[in-house]
Amino acid sequence: MDEVIKGFLERNLPGFVNSFHVEIDGGANDYFCVAAKNGVVAVTANCYVSAFHGIYCYLKKYCRVQLSWCGNRNIDIDKLVMFNGEYKKEIKQKFRVYMNYCTLDYSMCWWNFERWEKEIDFMAMNGINMPLAVIGSEAVLYETLLEFGFSEKEALDSISGPAFWAWQLMTNITGYLPPPSKKYVYERLTLGKQILERYVEFGMYPIQQGFSGHVPALIKKKQGVKLYMQRGWNGFEQTAQLNPVDPFFKTFGMAYLNKLCALMGFYGYIACDPFHEGTPPKKGKKYLNAVGKAISSLYEEFDKSMQTGRKTVWVMQAWSMRDDIVTAVDKDRLLILDINSQKTPNNNTVKKYPVVAGMLHNFGGKNAMQGKLRYHCKNSWLRLKQNDVNAVGSGMFMEGIEQNPVLYDLQFELLTANDEIDFDTWIRDYIERRYGGSSNTLVNAWNLLLQSCYKDSGYEENEVGSAVASRPQMVPFMTGPCCYAKPFYDTDILEKAALELLKAADAFAESDGYQYDICDITRQVLSNRFYINQLEFSRAYRKKDVSAAKNMAEKQLALLKDLDYITSFRSEMCLSRWLCDAQSLAADEEEKRYFTFQAKVLITLWGDINSSSYLLYDYSWREWNGLIQGYYYERWNMFYNKVTDCLEKGKRFKDRQFNNYGIRMKHLKYPLGREMGIFERKWCEQYEVYPYPQDRDVISAAEKLLRKYI
């Protein structure tokens, strides 16, 4: 048996390795054909990704498998189901792209290769053939800077740490929380090469990191070159951009690309996004056109130097796309990732360029239950094609994963779907695969979920917040700087869904997917209840009812403890898993402390800790065990103590709200804000070794808490 196929089967279906017969015919069009008889599943496909996708589609259709990050994390079957005839599928989307830069840090920055190996298999099973491949680019930049006169320390100080490297690649920041030693960049290089080699082994089209002109400002002193300074992003220092018409632009860019090729190899698709979420340092179409020409000609010259006859394709996000940059590039040298499928349909300038239709569902990795399931069934790839966009593929560009398993199961299916998906049929199939069977109770519970947190109207998918994780206010308005704390649906309906889902426990308690979903819905019920109770606390304050306010404050703090407790039953919802993964990735004690600090900062303060410019605090909130009691509880406790103290002394409590981007850091100018700020910084700096969390049967605990709060 082919070693690539054998390795895949041994990792994912160890009990059935000899029950599969896979043939790769090398055809140009992506397809698979599956037949299963006489105890053997025969798969014919044009390439490895199509074959592995065919195996998973067979497992879903005939063996009722549902593989997920949230419960059901492994394929667990007793037998392979035989069937008559053949199961065929042709995949019309040439590219199936995976990952936003942000995904790498909000969810993946602490993964070792074992975890990456599992994810790459999962990618292939879902038909993904174009993943982002930028881990290890730290070493490429490091060695390039050394060539241009930087000392080792200066080069290291120009590299952002593992939890923030993604935003440096997007030109937003430079050298934020840099690594303590150069061994770190080579550890990342080793990991990046392992990931890249597996992508290539599977026949995928990895997207590597290119050069857009973003450089450390220190290069002006080292090389005497002119720099343009971009406006500081979200309170960070300004970032520097080389003038694209300066010959040094191409000199540095070629050195970078040659170093990339030498250290990691080069595979033809290369990403860069000049001025991502930033303002170009110079106004006018002429300048933007020069940027596009400079970057494109850099890649052309690199192709000539490589003498492979291949054309490098520039992969560009449409999120901050500028038409005058796009039109400077030949159509066969550009691939546009419309990460939310909203930038290209009405843009006649760029819609004829090759475009990937994208889904952008989650900002920051937050874990509220939400998603417009019926809307997504319309198939963004199909909709773009119907709008005369040259849609050549589909992509998933969420900022964070490991939440809302139902939405991602649907999105993975849409990557290779040629038509709209019939949602009613799909959700019945999902329920059966998710729980290992179905019942009227489960169907009723999901009907209620579709009327509440998974409804299609009344909210934006990236703006759903949490009162629990909000900076304490009398009535929480926003959590992070772009998500709203108030539930967007009738919370009574979600509570009915929770009770209905719980009724199925006797029949489905052995299902890991069911265990996760019960835990998740209980978490959401309690989170919603916290917001509702906070309205009661606010009313008690306005009435100057000291007793009622103190009573509600005690209830709220008790609720936070209960919420922390229920999330402890699932490792996916534990802060300790996040921190254990960070510490396990470290090579020594110094790195453990370095990684732990970064892991904590990313999901709390986020912003520039060197200047106390925390404009992004709570952007990446998570309702996780350990984070709720250790962080959010303490902030709310400070708030309640202050408010009730004011009530008892007959003083007015000034409820200061700092929700908008531009004023978020002003809370530090006031006594309570300063007290919280000191606590938050100390919490991030606290270091301890955590035990890895274990999954436990959550049914009894969930039932107790649902009865208590509903």
Side-chain angles (χ1 to χ4, degrees), residues 621-651:
W621 63 266
R622 321 282 171 98
E623 287 184 351
W624 279 354
N625 165 262
L627 189 59
I628 296 167
Q629 175 134 4
Y631 192 79
Y632 302 137
Y633 176 96
E634 294 299 330
R635 295 199 310 195
W636 280 105
N637 191 33
M638 292 177 194
F639 172 83
Y640 291 131
N641 285 340
K642 182 66 174 177
V643 175
T644 55
D645 182 64
C646 286
L647 278 175
E648 289 176 331
K649 293 178 179 178
K651 294 181 178 180

Side-chain angles (χ1 to χ4, degrees), residues 67-82:
L67 194 59
S68 171
W69 309 297
C70 307
N72 298 343
R73 286 165 290 185
N74 296 292
I75 297 171
D76 184 15
I77 55 174
D78 297 324
K79 63 178 181 178
L80 298 176
V81 177
M82 301 293 107

Side-chain angles (χ1 to χ4, degrees), residues 30 94-95 129-131 199 203-207 267 269:
D30 289 345
K94 179 179 179 180
F95 302 119
N129 65 357
M130 184 174 261
Y199 288 161
M204 294 176 171
Y205 309 104
I207 302 173
Y267 300 97
Y269 292 89

Side-chain angles (χ1 to χ4, degrees), residues 178-202:
S181 67
K182 69 177 182 180
K183 75 176 188 305
Y184 164 77
V185 299
Y186 292 106
E187 291 164 3
R188 298 302 284 175
L189 177 63
T190 298
L191 177 60
K193 288 172 70 173
Q194 287 179 297
I195 295 166
L196 191 55
E197 286 165 4
R198 182 57 55 83
Y199 288 161
V200 173
E201 182 179 75
F202 276 16

Side-chain angles (χ1 to χ4, degrees), residues 127-405:
I128 290 162
N129 65 357
M130 184 174 261
L132 193 60
V134 298
I135 292 175
S137 54
E138 296 96 331
V140 179
L141 177 60
Y142 174 76
E143 291 201 3
T144 304
L145 292 176
L146 294 181
E147 288 186 11
F148 288 91
F150 281 61
S151 68
E152 289 187 354
K153 185 177 188 311
E154 289 168 339
L156 281 176
D157 286 345
S158 302
I159 294 169
S160 296
F164 301 95
W165 180 238
W167 290 275
Q168 179 154 339
L169 296 178
M170 292 185 286
T171 78
N172 295 339
I173 60 178
T174 305
Y176 182 47
L177 299 181
S181 67
K182 69 177 182 180
K183 75 176 188 305
Y184 164 77
V185 299
Y186 292 106
E187 291 164 3
R188 298 302 284 175
L189 177 63
T190 298
L191 177 60
K193 288 172 70 173
Q194 287 179 297
I195 295 166
L196 191 55
E197 286 165 4
R198 182 57 55 83
Y199 288 161
V200 173
E201 182 179 75
F202 276 16
M204 294 176 171
Y205 309 104
I207 302 173
Q208 296 176 270
Q209 183 60 33
F211 177 70
S212 65
H214 178 49
V215 290
L218 183 60
I219 205 162
K220 180 178 181 179
K221 179 179 178 182
K222 295 290 183 181
Q223 297 292 323
V225 296
K226 182 179 179 180
L227 297 177
Y228 290 128
M229 302 305 294
Q230 292 197 64
R231 182 183 62 193
W233 178 80
N234 284 314
F236 284 88
E237 292 182 357
Q238 290 179 300
T239 54
Q241 186 79 15
L242 285 171
N243 185 347
V245 299
D246 188 323
F248 186 74
F249 181 97
K250 187 167 288 186
T251 300
F252 190 92
M254 283 294 290
Y256 175 89
L257 294 174
N258 286 329
K259 187 63 67 175
L260 172 67
C261 187
L263 292 178
M264 304 189 73
F266 182 67
Y267 300 97
Y269 292 89
I270 193 155
C272 67
D273 296 287
F275 325 126
H276 177 80
E277 292 189 355
T279 302
K282 194 173 180 179
K283 294 182 179 180
K285 295 182 179 180
K286 184 177 180 181
Y287 172 73
L288 293 176
N289 199 252
V291 171
K293 287 180 178 177
I295 296 173
S296 183
S297 64
L298 169 65
Y299 297 152
E300 289 178 30
E301 185 167 321
F302 178 65
D303 287 342
K304 292 176 184 177
S305 71
M306 295 288 290
Q307 296 182 340
T308 61
R310 178 173 56 194
K311 283 188 176 181
T312 291
V313 176
W314 175 1
V315 182
M316 177 193 296
Q317 295 183 85
W319 188 250
S320 300
M321 177 180 62
R322 291 165 174 84
D323 292 3
D324 295 299
I325 294 178
V326 172
T327 54
V329 187
D330 293 340
K331 289 185 176 66
D332 62 348
R333 283 188 171 273
L334 189 66
L335 177 64
I336 296 173
L337 307 180
D338 193 348
I339 65 175
N340 62 357
S341 295
Q342 295 176 11
K343 302 292 184 179
T344 56
N346 299 313
N347 189 327
N348 291 326
T349 303
V350 304
K351 66 193 304 182
K352 297 306 178 184
Y353 280 79
V355 173
V356 170
M359 181 280 293
L360 175 62
H361 165 259
N362 183 284
F363 282 172
K366 53 187 183 266
N367 62 328
M369 291 179 67
Q370 54 93 12
K372 298 181 178 182
L373 301 177
R374 291 185 184 276
Y375 169 79
H376 288 295
C377 281
K378 295 177 182 178
N379 194 335
S380 59
W381 172 75
L382 187 62
R383 283 190 288 115
L384 259 60
K385 289 184 74 68
Q386 291 169 346
N387 278 279
D388 296 323
V389 176
N390 182 21
V392 297
S394 296
M396 290 173 63
F397 303 105
M398 57 281 132
E399 287 191 1
I401 59 172
E402 298 180 326
Q403 33 75 30
N404 287 290

